[in-house]
Amino acid sequence: MITAEQRDKLRGWFTGRLPDDLFESLVEVTVDREEITVVGRIPGPRLAADVSEAERDAAVRGRIQEFRERTRDERMAVARDAEHRFSKKVSWGVECAGERALFTHVAAPVMTRLRQPERQVLDTLVAGGVARSRSDALAWCVRLVQRNTDDWLGELRDSLDHVQRVRERGPDTDASTQDDGPDSQESARD
């Protein structure tokens, strides 16, 4: 788990390193053990007020695809620098007209041990066509928990940030290494 200060430094590095005209704004920089994901806002397509929802959706998807192809070289140059500096893969995404799209990103394997009742849940999702495999079913479950407990997960992450800051401060090492002798403990108990 990285600290809030480390996250701020990472976001600051990307803010400074990205070309000024790449995004309208930098929306999010997230990091875990394997990957850094950078998401920026791009302008939506200009559309007439009376376009259908299907036309709007297609135009937004087209704008995202155009951005992805046009900026590939710039983004890959930044990614190479970041991967060298931070030893993590860099993935990209955009927000455009209220839609979010992530480009190729890391799908890291996660090993878990499940008892029969939990495996039966996954097998039911596979049998019901919700997922193609137990792995897909487990990913589906994680996304469902994430979507339904977003506030709670945010509070938990904030708490973990606080714990990390307390750990970094540690005990006062000067006081803990000072030896006042056995009598000092006795008088403190009196």
Side-chain angles (χ1 to χ4, degrees):
M1 179 97 187
I2 70 167
T3 65
E5 181 180 352
Q6 290 168 325
R7 261 194 310 273
D8 289 347
K9 286 181 179 180
L10 185 70
R11 183 180 173 92
W13 185 87
F14 276 97
T15 299
R17 177 60 180 84
L18 291 172
D20 287 336
D21 60 347
L22 186 65
F23 298 125
E24 284 184 332
S25 63
L26 185 60
V27 175
E28 179 178 87
V29 177
T30 56
V31 63
D32 66 11
R33 290 184 215 163
E34 293 85 17
E35 173 182 34
I36 300 167
T37 303
V38 180
V39 178
R41 184 168 291 110
I42 63 173
R46 292 185 195 163
L47 299 169
D50 62 343
V51 299
S52 69
E53 192 66 26
E55 184 177 346
R56 186 192 90 64
D57 290 347
V60 169
R61 283 194 305 276
R63 175 58 53 93
I64 291 169
Q65 186 63 35
E66 182 277 333
F67 172 86
R68 183 178 184 185
E69 292 171 11
R70 177 176 44 84
T71 63
R72 182 172 280 121
D73 290 341
E74 289 176 297
R75 291 182 295 105
M76 292 307 101
V78 173
R80 277 190 299 276
D81 289 351
E83 288 170 6
H84 177 74
R85 182 180 187 97
F86 302 112
S87 301
K88 296 178 187 305
K89 290 293 182 189
V90 176
S91 300
W92 299 91
V94 294
E95 284 186 1
C96 179
E99 300 292 324
R100 180 178 276 224
L102 294 177
F103 306 154
T104 304
H105 50 281
V106 175
V110 178
M111 179 67 102
T112 185
R113 298 188 194 299
L114 299 175
R115 292 190 168 79
Q116 188 177 36
E118 290 123 0
R119 292 191 312 267
Q120 287 174 334
V121 169
L122 299 181
D123 292 341
T124 300
L125 293 171
V126 171
V130 173
R132 294 183 310 260
S133 65
R134 282 181 171 176
S135 177
D136 284 345
L138 187 55
W140 183 87
C141 291
V142 170
R143 286 190 302 272
L144 183 65
V145 168
Q146 180 185 17
R147 186 170 47 246
N148 291 322
T149 59
D150 207 28
D151 290 341
W152 180 82
L153 288 171
E155 288 179 35
L156 183 59
R157 286 184 189 108
D158 290 345
S159 295
L160 292 171
D161 284 345
H162 177 71
V163 168
Q164 185 64 33
R165 285 191 304 273
V166 170
R167 281 185 184 152
E168 287 172 357
R169 285 194 312 250
D172 184 6
T173 55
D174 292 336
S176 65
T177 58
Q178 187 177 9
D179 185 10
D180 293 332
D183 291 338
S184 65
Q185 289 185 0
E186 291 282 329
S187 62
R189 285 187 210 136
D190 290 339

